[in-house]
């Protein structure tokens, strides 16, 4: 969930950080840091969090009769 109360602290989701590449974040407070790093200045920015894609439904358990009128 994007707005849950207990989130993992990471520079990737901080309002002071900007992602540069896959494993580096540019922080206005600390400079270049790794994604998994966190500090006391952490300020959660929910718009930087990308939710996981939902799983595709499995229609294999249904037959053709289930879809006909």
């Amino acid at each position: 969930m994007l707005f849950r109360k207990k989130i993992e602290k990471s520079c990737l989701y901080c309002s002071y950080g900007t992602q540069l590449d896959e494993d580096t974040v540019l922080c206005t407070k600390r400079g270049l840091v790794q994604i998994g790093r966190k500090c006391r200045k952490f300020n959660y920015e929910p718009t930087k969090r990308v939710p996981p894609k939902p799983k595709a439904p499995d229609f294999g358990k249904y037959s053709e009769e289930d879809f006909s009128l």
Side-chain angles (χ1 to χ4, degrees), residues 12-59:
L12 184 60
Y13 309 131
C14 182
S15 62
Y16 299 114
T18 304
Q19 186 174 7
L20 294 178
D21 57 21
E22 292 179 1
D23 57 347
T24 309
V25 174
L26 179 62
C27 178
T28 58
K29 301 290 182 183
R30 303 284 178 188
L32 287 174
V33 294
Q34 298 297 321
I35 282 183
R37 185 155 186 250
K38 58 188 175 211
C39 68
R40 291 184 293 171
K41 296 287 187 179
F42 178 77
N43 186 19
Y44 181 57
E45 180 66 40
T47 58
K48 290 188 176 183
R49 188 121 186 203
V50 179
K53 292 183 179 181
K55 293 182 180 178
D58 180 25
F59 295 115

Side-chain angles (χ1 to χ4, degrees), residues 58-69:
D58 180 25
F59 295 115
K61 61 183 176 183
Y62 299 108
S63 66
E64 288 292 325
E65 286 183 9
D66 294 331
F67 295 103
S68 63
L69 295 175

